[in-house]
């Protein structure tokens, strides 16, 4: 019996000349905010001290607006204190609230973004409708999950008419000549699946086309998250990400996205929905270049080559199954992604393998680093979890150019046997547990899988045959 924990991944290497290598982080391209990139213009827009000190206080904002209103209606006494460019350009604001995963707004023209108050002023907007001048977006991609979304800061887009407006937008204190992308890191904590599916893939879809010439503004800024994904962020944007909520500057951008595009699926890019024909395979090539991974493809090797696979390292508890797989002719590397803080290193280990085996769980997300045509074996735990497991990993595998094998644990292959009698609904009517909303605690957090080694060996033998030649 092999005890299989959700966080354990087994990576299988066909014996070839290739040895797993520690991938080296590419030099990150973060550079300091320099004067060449941003032109700081004189700070004359905010003369109301209360507004500056309490940008969240609606009364203070109203005060601020009233004061400017008077200025505007009475005619300028000092021309530098009003915005000479109001009405000079026509901006556009388009929001889309129909994607089930995320609301997004895109805009261009005269945009003034104040992070601290989470307001984007779209000045002199040709798209302005008086009855619909304010839009709000929570820039995270799990719109259907109320609890998560309640933790995401709301960003307001205020569209101002082309001609006279009662709202005087603040003056730019910093001008950027690249687009802005505003998104939140408040929803995914440390979970690698959510980081990839909710943020990194949508961020790639939204910002890759700018070739690094794009500024990220991150609300609900999580320093650990930014630190962990720094190599990827640095490959997407050549400027350091800005902590939006703490930002007192009024930043002006020629165009901006608030919220991340996504294709209404987990860990997926739909080429037909992508403006630039992006694919998950392209995304994986991108990751391979970010982490300098060595193997683009997993190539079938010959069984008659005489090469003997070897065990790379294992957890004692899994020794039985590892021996079994070894006996099939596979070299096995056991790894626990939780223990691995260095994503680049772990990406290198995964990329050196041809097959990844793991129980449904965030660790399987590391499949993004497998070489193309690699195989993912997802072990579906007991309890009517097939559909959820398919949705999270099974379906994405296809789009990634990987091959998918599913192994569904039986009632004999779970530690739930030790907790519940066999006539308990956990075994007789698993769906009733789902209906009570207890599937997660019972079937995901609540069990380990204890593989029936003979049954598992049969499946792995098929995998072995499918990835080798005579
Ligand atoms: C809005 O998003 C939905 C869902 O992603 C998409 O089908 C639709 O084409 C979008 N509408 C516009 C105007 O872009
Ligand atoms: C305002 O915008 C929302 C969201 O796009 C839309 O559903 C609504 O119909 C608009 N209302 C008016 C009066 O245009
Ligand atoms: C699964 O196994 C791990 C490691 O032995 C243990 O810490 C954890 O409590 C187990 N979980 C369940 C639900 O049995
Ligand atoms: C993918 O793997 C299968 C099985 O080993 C093999 O038949 C096929 O040629 C591979 N495809 C590519 C493009 O290498």
């Amino acid at each position: 019996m092999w005890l299989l924990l959700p966080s354990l991944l087994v990576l299988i290497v066909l014996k070839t000349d290739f040895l797993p290598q520690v991938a080296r982080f590419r030099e990150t391209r973060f550079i300091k905010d320099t004067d060449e990139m941003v032109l700081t213009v004189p700070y004359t827009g905010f003369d109301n001290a209360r507004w500056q000190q309490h940008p969240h206080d609606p009364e203070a904002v109203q005060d601020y607006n009233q004061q400017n209103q008077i200025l505007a209606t009475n005619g300028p006494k000092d021309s530098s204190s009003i915005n000479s460019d109001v009405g000079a350009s026509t901006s556009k604001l388009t929001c889309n609230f129909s994607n089930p995963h995320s609301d997004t707004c895109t805009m261009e023209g005269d945009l003034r973004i104040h992070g601290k108050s989470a307001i984007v002023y779209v000045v002199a907007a040709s798209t302005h409708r008086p009855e619909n001048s304010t839009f709000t977006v929570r820039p995270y991609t799990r719109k259907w999950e109320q609890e998560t979304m309640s933790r995401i800061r709301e960003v307001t887009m205020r569209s101002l008419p082309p001609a006279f407006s009662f709202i005087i937008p603040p003056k730019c204190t910093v001008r950027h000549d690249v687009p802005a992308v505003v998104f939140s890191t408040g929803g995914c904590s440390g979970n690698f699946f959510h980081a990839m599916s909710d943020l990194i893939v949508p961020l790639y879809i939204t910002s890759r086309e700018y070739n690094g010439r794009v500024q990220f503004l991150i609300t609900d800024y999580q320093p650990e998250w930014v630190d962990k994904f720094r190599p990827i962020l640095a490959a997407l944007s050549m400027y350091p990400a800005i902590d939006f909520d703490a930002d007192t500057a009024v930043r002006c951008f020629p165009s901006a996205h608030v919220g991340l595009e996504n294709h209404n699926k987990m860990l997926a890019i739909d080429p037909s929905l992508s403006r630039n024909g992006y694919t998950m395979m392209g995304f994986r090539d991108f990751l391979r270049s970010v982490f300098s991974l060595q193997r683009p493809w997993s190539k079938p090797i010959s069984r008659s080559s005489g090469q003997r696979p070897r065990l790379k390292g294992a957890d004692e508890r899994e020794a039985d199954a590892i021996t079994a797989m070894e006996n099939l002719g596979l070299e096995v590397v056991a790894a626990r992604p939780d223990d691995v803080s260095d994503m680049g290193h772990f990406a290198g280990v995964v990329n050196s393998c041809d097959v990844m085996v793991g129980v449904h769980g965030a660790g399987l997300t590391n499949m993004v680093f497998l070489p193309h045509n690699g195989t993912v074996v997802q072990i579906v735990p007991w309890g009517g979890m097939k559909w959820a497991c398919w949705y999270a990993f099974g379906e994405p595998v296809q789009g990634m150019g990987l091959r998918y094998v599913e192994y569904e644990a039986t009632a004999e292959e779970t530690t739930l046997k030790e907790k519940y009698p066999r006539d308990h609904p956990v075994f007789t009517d698993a769906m009733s547990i789902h209906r009570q909303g207890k599937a997660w605690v019972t079937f995901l957090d609540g069990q380990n899988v204890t593989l029936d080694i003979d049954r598992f060996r049969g499946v792995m033998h098929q995998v072995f045959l499918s990835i080798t030649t005579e």
Side-chain angles (χ1 to χ4, degrees):
M1 214 63 113
W2 179 24
L3 185 69
L4 201 61
L5 316 169
S7 62
L8 182 92
L9 291 178
V10 177
L11 302 162
I12 292 163
V13 186
L14 289 171
K15 170 85 175 184
T16 63
D17 294 340
F18 183 85
L19 290 173
Q21 286 185 8
V22 177
R24 226 174 276 134
F25 274 69
R26 202 172 61 172
E27 279 292 301
T28 53
R29 285 190 294 137
F30 274 7
I31 47 178
K32 288 206 187 80
D33 226 16
T34 65
D35 291 336
E36 292 137 45
M37 288 187 301
V38 290
L39 166 72
T40 306
V41 298
Y43 187 86
T44 54
F46 289 167
D47 33 26
N48 185 316
R50 184 159 163 225
W51 192 88
Q52 284 179 51
Q53 280 159 18
H54 308 280
H56 294 293
D57 174 357
E59 256 183 65
V61 174
Q62 204 179 9
D63 260 19
Y64 163 75
N65 280 331
Q66 267 168 7
Q67 212 180 63
N68 283 282
Q69 218 170 302
I70 292 161
L71 255 180
T73 46
N74 289 351
K77 294 201 174 64
D78 167 8
S79 63
S80 71
S81 62
I82 69 155
N83 292 278
S84 53
D85 46 358
V86 170
S89 65
T90 48
S91 304
K92 281 191 193 138
L93 167 66
T94 315
C95 294
N96 189 339
F97 296 96
S98 63
N99 184 306
H101 283 226
S102 65
D103 295 334
T104 52
C105 293
T106 56
M107 58 221 85
E108 58 182 56
D110 182 354
L111 312 174
R112 308 182 193 185
I113 305 186
H114 186 240
K116 195 116 203 224
S117 58
I119 299 178
V120 179
Y121 296 87
V122 183
V123 179
S126 61
T127 47
H128 179 81
R129 300 284 169 276
E131 72 283 8
N132 230 356
S133 61
T134 300
F135 296 90
T136 58
V137 163
R138 290 180 195 267
Y140 198 69
T141 57
R142 293 176 85 75
K143 212 171 111 181
W144 72 94
E145 245 180 46
Q146 239 173 0
E147 201 277 321
T148 306
M149 294 309 278
S150 69
R151 286 183 275 129
I152 307 299
R153 187 165 185 236
E154 201 166 66
V155 178
T156 300
M157 264 70 49
R158 231 177 229 183
S159 125
L160 311 184
F164 175 82
S165 168
F166 281 105
I167 299 167
I168 307 299
K171 271 197 170 285
C172 308
T173 61
V174 183
R175 274 183 203 279
H176 297 257
D177 61 358
V178 298
V181 172
V182 183
F183 65 96
S184 167
T185 52
C188 61
S189 60
N191 184 296
F192 190 51
F193 173 78
H194 288 300
M196 276 289 162
S197 183
D198 301 353
L199 283 172
I200 297 293
V201 171
L203 195 57
Y204 176 86
I205 297 173
T206 310
S207 68
R208 180 61 181 147
E209 65 189 272
Y210 302 118
N211 249 318
R213 292 191 45 78
V214 59
Q215 175 69 60
F216 295 151
L217 302 172
I218 304 182
T219 185
D220 309 307
Y221 188 96
Q222 290 187 21
E224 312 77 43
W225 190 93
V226 173
D227 222 42
K228 178 161 181 185
F229 290 92
R230 194 176 298 282
I232 299 175
L233 295 177
L236 288 173
S237 165
M238 58 176 75
Y239 313 108
I242 290 168
D243 178 347
F244 191 63
D245 307 352
D247 190 26
T248 53
V250 176
R251 298 181 184 273
C252 291
F253 290 94
S255 65
H257 299 259
V258 175
L260 300 177
E261 276 177 64
N262 79 89
H263 296 156
N264 198 16
K265 278 184 188 149
M266 300 296 174
L267 274 179
I269 298 174
D270 180 342
S272 70
L273 293 178
S274 167
R275 285 189 304 280
N276 303 290
Y278 292 139
T279 61
M280 267 319 263
M281 281 183 81
F283 172 72
R284 293 184 344 94
D285 285 333
F286 164 77
L287 291 181
R288 200 156 44 75
S289 101
V290 169
F291 294 108
S292 308
L293 306 180
Q294 308 287 308
R295 295 173 74 211
W297 285 89
S298 163
K299 299 262 167 55
I301 65 154
S302 163
R303 290 190 289 276
S304 57
S305 65
Q307 295 168 315
R308 298 299 303 167
R310 63 201 156 87
L311 190 68
K312 284 303 291 176
D315 188 307
E316 283 169 10
R317 280 174 300 209
E318 281 79 24
D320 287 356
I322 285 164
T323 308
M325 287 193 284
E326 242 194 322
N327 291 342
L328 288 173
L330 297 163
E331 176 182 328
V332 178
V333 180
R336 230 175 271 287
D338 319 356
D339 302 343
V340 183
S341 53
D342 182 344
M343 186 171 26
H345 171 79
F346 197 67
V349 173
V350 173
N351 182 254
S352 71
C353 297
D354 303 283
V355 181
M356 170 184 281
V357 184
V359 176
H360 175 80
L364 273 183
T365 314
N366 286 288
M367 67 169 73
V368 293
F369 302 122
L370 278 175
H372 296 315
N373 214 19
T375 302
V376 176
V377 182
Q378 175 168 224
I379 298 175
V380 176
W382 171 257
M385 299 305 297
K386 201 174 158 69
W387 184 85
C389 292
W390 167 257
Y391 186 60
F393 295 111
E395 193 180 21
V397 166
Q398 334 271 311
M400 288 189 203
L402 299 170
R403 288 150 8 107
Y404 183 64
V405 175
E406 197 168 270
Y407 181 95
E408 218 180 338
T410 64
E412 294 302 323
E413 296 173 294
T414 170
T415 53
L416 289 169
K417 279 195 303 191
E418 297 149 20
K419 268 198 262 179
Y420 301 94
R422 287 308 279 277
D423 57 0
H424 190 277
V426 157
F427 292 109
T428 59
D429 185 10
M431 290 325 283
S432 71
I433 310 287
H434 287 246
R435 285 191 295 274
Q436 290 165 36
K438 290 184 185 157
W440 188 278
V441 293
T442 314
F443 297 129
L444 290 181
D445 288 345
Q447 72 176 309
N448 284 322
V449 173
T450 53
L451 290 174
D452 173 338
I453 281 294
D454 288 335
R455 183 174 170 238
F456 185 67
R457 187 188 292 120
V459 170
M460 289 311 295
H461 184 59
Q462 290 307 312
V463 170
F464 176 70
L465 292 179
S466 79
I467 60 176
T468 52
T469 57
E470 287 290 314

